Every structure is written in C-alpha cells, then in structure tokens.
Amino acid sequence: DAGITQSPRHKVTETGTPVTLRCHQTENHRYMYWYRQDPGHGLRLIHYSYGVKDTDKGEVSDGYSVSRSKTEDFLLTLESATSSQTSVYFCAISELYLNTEAFFGQGTRLTVV
Amino acid sequence: GQQVMQIPQYQHVQEGEDFTTYCNSSTTLSNIQWYKQRPGGHPVFLIQLVKSGEVKKQKRLTFQFGEAKKNSSLHITATQTTDVGTYFCAGEASSGSARQLTFGSGTQLTVLP
C-alpha cells in the first residue's frame, strides 16, 4: 500500500462542532484529494490540492474547507458539523492530475449526532 | 454536470459463474478507471482505459472501453470468493475547461461458495 495515513480512523462528534480530518502521505505526490463515500453515491470529490497552498473545490464542497501547508499533509475541516456530513471520508493521492492511478487512504468514518 | 451510471447496483453469483458490471456516461470520456473496494476497505486501482474500443485483460478480468468512449464494462470470468467487493468505474470528462473525475455508484459483488 502507498504511504497514506488518515487520522482519526473513527470519530463521533456533535452537531455544530468543528472537526478536522488529517491526511498524511510519504510518497511526495503532488495531488491530494478528499472524497466522501455514501451508499448509492459512490465517491464524490469534496476538495483537492495541486500543491502547497493550492486547492480547489470539488462537486460537494459546501460546508467543508481544506488546507495544505506542507506537501505531505492535507487537512479537511468541517466548520460546523451537520448530520448530513455523516459519511466515510477518503483521502487520495496521485502523481498526475486525474489521468493516472490514485492511491486511497484507509478512510475515516465520521458520525455526527 | 457529468453523470456516470453504473449497473447493476448489486450482483450475487455462485462461485464459478461469470460477472459483468457496466458503466455509462452522459458525456464523452477521455479515459476511464476501474477500482475495487473490499468490504470495510479502501478503493484500489485496477486499470485505466484511454483508447476507443480498448480491451485489456488482467487474468480473469476483462475491461472494455466503448467505441464512442461513453461506456465501459468489467467482466470477471469464473468468479472466486476473493472477487467479493464493490467495483467502481470513474470517468474523466473530455470536454470543458474543468477536468474532473466522476465515480459511478458501484456494483457490489457477492460470491456464494
């Protein structure tokens, strides 16, 4: 497996609280992505990064922000968690943008109660 | 926006039977990727198809990309219990200025021993 670590792996939080998920890579890949996975929806892109401090929105970015201060770390923040953000979140990395294999982390299961 | 439909959503087969999942896009794709996700696991890249009419094989798995580059299929011959999991296609749209990868909702394969 590629060197991708997500933390935490599981989290339960209350509605309205901020939550930050971390993705750490040791592969020095330029591109990093955050996806959410929900039954019947496959994987949907939240945000992605194409370099340090360079990020862009995906198809389901509302309610989420990201930051990338170092090549190896990509943070996903839910500013004020809602029950609709209960999901499994996957981080992914790739050397090139899209037209290449993406490596996924183990996932973070987030429950908002 | 781009839509990628995948059917069937679920498939139960007896071990030794064949299995096929289909992916259809609303727009022409520049390439399509296939991923496998084992239960409780993370998506793992299987293959990428780029050329119109392309066919690639990996042991018992056969991947096809349609002539119009709007559909694709994954066929598994003589399924084994190790084939259990969810298979996702992910297509990159070839038109427009914003490149994006859209995942299908996946086909969950159960193989009965």
Side-chain angles (χ1 to χ4, degrees), chain A residues 2-93:
Chain A
I4 310 171
T5 305
Q6 290 187 231
S7 59
R9 294 292 313 280
H10 302 271
K11 186 169 182 67
V12 179
T13 191
E14 293 186 349
T15 299
T17 60
V19 177
T20 296
L21 308 183
R22 180 178 183 243
C23 178
H24 178 79
Q25 63 148 328
T26 57
E27 305 295 325
N28 201 34
H29 282 359
R30 177 180 177 185
Y31 295 92
M32 299 186 75
Y33 314 82
W34 277 107
Y35 289 92
R36 60 177 289 173
Q37 184 173 39
D38 305 289
H41 289 279
L43 290 144
R44 291 181 292 175
L45 182 65
I46 304 171
H47 283 278
Y48 69 98
S49 170
Y50 47 98
V52 173
K53 298 185 180 180
D54 292 322
T55 65
D56 206 349
K57 296 178 179 180
E59 66 175 299
V60 290
S61 59
D62 287 349
Y64 302 94
S65 62
V66 290
S67 65
R68 191 170 178 196
S69 58
K70 298 185 290 185
T71 299
E72 56 266 34
D73 290 326
F74 193 32
L75 304 180
L76 176 70
T77 297
L78 290 66
E79 301 292 345
S80 177
T82 67
S83 58
S84 64
Q85 293 176 312
T86 293
S87 186
V88 178
Y89 291 86
F90 285 99
C91 173
I93 63 173

Side-chain angles (χ1 to χ4, degrees), chain B:
Chain B
Q2 180 191 6
Q3 290 188 333
V4 175
M5 308 300 292
Q6 196 172 349
I7 57 169
Q9 189 174 359
Y10 303 96
Q11 183 77 59
H12 292 72
V13 299
Q14 207 71 36
E15 188 173 18
E17 293 181 337
D18 291 356
F19 159 77
T20 305
T21 174
Y22 301 90
C23 196
N24 292 288
S25 171
S26 58
T27 59
T28 303
L29 302 171
S30 57
N31 63 79
I32 193 159
Q33 299 175 358
W34 285 92
Y35 289 82
K36 177 184 178 180
Q37 184 176 20
R38 295 183 185 275
H42 59 281
V44 174
F45 177 84
L46 293 176
I47 208 161
Q48 177 172 277
L49 305 172
V50 179
K51 298 177 183 177
S52 169
E54 188 170 15
V55 178
K56 287 188 176 181
K57 293 189 176 184
Q58 291 179 348
K59 297 183 179 178
R60 295 178 294 105
L61 278 62
T62 302
F63 303 84
Q64 296 190 33
F65 200 9
E67 294 289 340
K69 301 184 75 173
K70 296 182 75 173
N71 57 74
S72 181
S73 65
L74 159 59
H75 179 81
I76 302 178
T77 303
T79 55
Q80 300 174 359
T81 55
T82 53
D83 295 325
V84 165
T86 301
Y87 293 84
F88 293 96
C89 61
E92 179 185 346
S94 62
S95 61
S97 59
R99 296 172 62 200
Q100 61 176 355
L101 190 69
T102 302
F103 279 80
S105 55
T107 295
Q108 186 176 319
L109 173 64
T110 301
V111 180
L112 306 170

